[in-house]
Amino acid sequence: MKNRKRIGILTSGGDCPGLNAVIRAVVSHATLTYDWEVLGIPYATQGLLEGKVTALTMHGLDLRGIDPLLSMGGTILGTINKGDTLAHAGEIIAGYQALELDALIGIGGDGSISILHNLARQGNWNFVAIPKTIDNDVALTERSVGFDTAVNTITDALNRLTFTAASHDRVMIVEVMGRKAGHLALQAGIAGGADVILIPEIPYSIEGICEHIAQLRDRCWRKFAIVVVAEGIEAVKASSDCDESCHPTPKCGMGQYIADHITRCSTKKIETRVSVLGHIQRGGIPSALDRLVATAFGKTAVDLVAQGQYDQMVAWQNGQVVAVPLEEVILQSPAPVDANGYLVQTARSLDIYVGNGFQSSQVIVHSRVP
Ligand code: F6P
């Protein structure tokens, strides 16, 4: 019979900056405040399946007193974003039981949180979730770990591209991640001074983009432009003549697709260049805000375990960390972009083309302060 609580921690889904800062906060608070054992489960559910775990202690995490985890990108636990969990649910549940865990803290995006919640229900696990994703599309939290750093990375790329664009009078098209959500593109586009921002949630037209770029040239004496394209936008039918070459293929992402259209529809010859930021957006040193959010989330998740409050996700709402029921998070994810329409309105006021129309949707928030 063990008399100390033993908890497990895992990271699941795509990595992002700030995951190690969460792990550090959980290990520190659980071991130093509560004197619990913390087991690091590698590669998410894969680790439960294989039963290979590592005991995590603050002593083990530092290096001659220097604690590298706060500022380290990636995850020391490893992660997977594709898993055949359905086929192995029974073994994964047995893996949890074999470890004799009192609770599990899972750090993941909406997909991982939903998978882990289902496993927790089936296996009777005591489960608490922490949201992370550069896409920022987990519902009921204003912030997910990793989002702020990715916005900063994209903003930095836009700054760099602005000067080379201006020097050559070019239109720079920057394709950013986010799957079917436009949070990253919208926020980084505004912060980075983009002229056009295309996101999956707002319909756009090729004519609208080209007219806007032409107007910039005529009205503002500005011969270059920065166009931010979210990877998840849909192709549209251009009214100008368009053959196979301007439709996206698996080799040609939406950034290239938009670039091809801009080149075709412009009356004056416009030179375009495309940058696909790709996984650069998932790397790097976590920003101060991500470290803060990660630390506050990790601490609160441990407190929830201490209070026996399970099936909850820690969330950032109105500047503080609260607990929200997992059922609600799953029901309301993905989080709508710009729920009150303020950012889209701001962008348009600053003469940024953000497509045509936009239906903002208020999020219904159910929260409980732990
Ligand atoms: O969900 C995070 C994310 O980075 C998305 O923005 C992106 O589309 C996807 O993951 C990339 O996944 P992978 O690492 O499997 O290429």
Side-chain angles (χ1 to χ4, degrees), residues 81-82 133-135 177-179 231 279 282:
N81 66 355
K82 282 172 200 71
T133 168
I134 66 161
D135 304 342
M177 281 186 167
R179 290 190 207 267
E231 64 178 356
H279 289 79
R282 291 237 300 258

Side-chain angles (χ1 to χ4, degrees), residues 103-126:
L104 176 70
I105 295 179
I107 312 161
D110 60 340
S112 296
I113 287 175
S114 169
I115 290 169
L116 290 168
H117 176 60
N118 276 334
L119 288 166
R121 257 200 325 214
Q122 287 175 56
N124 221 9
W125 302 350
N126 294 327

Side-chain angles (χ1 to χ4, degrees), residues 6-336:
R6 177 184 295 161
I7 65 167
I9 179 168
L10 59 79
T11 48
S12 179
D15 76 317
C16 64
L19 292 176
N20 286 323
V22 180
I23 296 168
R24 169 185 179 265
V26 167
V27 174
S28 171
H29 197 39
T31 58
L32 303 181
T33 310
Y34 293 107
D35 191 30
W36 299 343
E37 251 183 287
V38 182
L39 299 184
I41 298 162
Y43 301 105
T45 46
Q46 191 71 37
L48 288 173
L49 207 57
E50 293 171 0
K52 289 185 198 144
V53 295
T54 315
L56 300 176
T57 61
M58 278 319 280
H59 179 65
L61 296 178
D62 74 19
L63 210 61
R64 289 173 58 83
I66 301 165
D67 174 0
L69 286 190
L70 193 56
S71 55
M72 239 170 85
T75 162
I76 55 163
L77 293 175
T79 186
I80 49 169
N81 66 355
K82 282 172 200 71
D84 190 8
T85 39
L86 273 183
H88 298 285
E91 293 156 77
I92 294 168
I93 289 167
Y96 175 96
Q97 279 148 2
L99 294 173
E100 296 184 26
L101 295 179
D102 293 295
L104 176 70
I105 295 179
I107 312 161
D110 60 340
S112 296
I113 287 175
S114 169
I115 290 169
L116 290 168
H117 176 60
N118 276 334
L119 288 166
R121 257 200 325 214
Q122 287 175 56
N124 221 9
W125 302 350
N126 294 327
F127 178 58
V128 172
I130 298 180
K132 69 86 217 168
T133 168
I134 66 161
D135 304 342
N136 211 37
D137 57 353
V138 177
L140 302 188
T141 182
E142 288 151 22
R143 309 209 144 269
S144 286
V145 175
F147 176 65
D148 184 65
T149 310
V151 169
N152 287 332
T153 302
I154 300 168
T155 304
D156 178 57
L158 298 182
N159 285 343
R160 289 164 193 261
L161 289 165
T162 297
F163 292 103
T164 169
S167 306
H168 289 267
D169 295 345
R170 282 174 174 158
V171 174
M172 292 291 188
I173 292 97
V174 187
E175 184 185 301
V176 305
M177 281 186 167
R179 290 190 207 267
K180 283 288 167 197
H183 302 264
L184 263 182
L186 183 60
Q187 296 199 23
I190 295 172
D195 302 293
V196 174
I197 303 172
L198 305 179
I199 61 174
E201 295 84 348
I202 306 183
Y204 65 93
S205 70
I206 300 296
E207 291 73 19
I209 301 168
C210 292
E211 262 167 41
H212 188 72
I213 292 172
Q215 265 182 35
L216 283 178
R217 295 190 164 215
D218 298 343
R219 269 194 298 147
C220 311
W221 200 246
R222 184 168 157 169
K223 295 193 181 134
F224 72 94
I226 303 292
V227 177
V228 174
V229 176
E231 64 178 356
I233 63 164
E234 298 285 337
V236 288
K237 263 231 163 319
S239 57
S240 52
D241 77 327
C242 178
D243 63 21
E244 285 297 293
S245 65
C246 57
H247 287 289
T249 66
K251 282 199 202 104
C252 161
M254 296 313 292
Q256 187 61 54
Y257 167 84
I258 294 295
D260 290 345
H261 275 304
I262 292 175
T263 313
R264 278 164 182 269
C265 76
S266 54
T267 44
K268 293 180 192 131
K269 193 168 161 32
I270 289 186
E271 238 194 319
T272 58
R273 291 289 186 275
V274 180
S275 301
V276 179
L277 296 188
H279 289 79
I280 287 172
Q281 295 159 98
R282 291 237 300 258
I285 296 173
S287 67
L289 181 54
D290 267 335
R291 296 183 204 192
L292 183 74
V293 170
T295 304
F297 278 176
K299 180 257 176 208
T300 307
V302 170
D303 286 339
L304 286 176
V305 172
Q307 294 157 13
Q309 288 197 51
Y310 301 117
D311 298 321
Q312 303 285 317
M313 182 188 83
V314 293
W316 191 275
Q317 289 180 1
N318 302 319
Q320 59 175 333
V321 182
V322 297
V324 290
L326 277 174
E327 292 283 354
E328 282 298 326
V329 174
I330 293 161
L331 211 62
Q332 298 199 36
S333 287

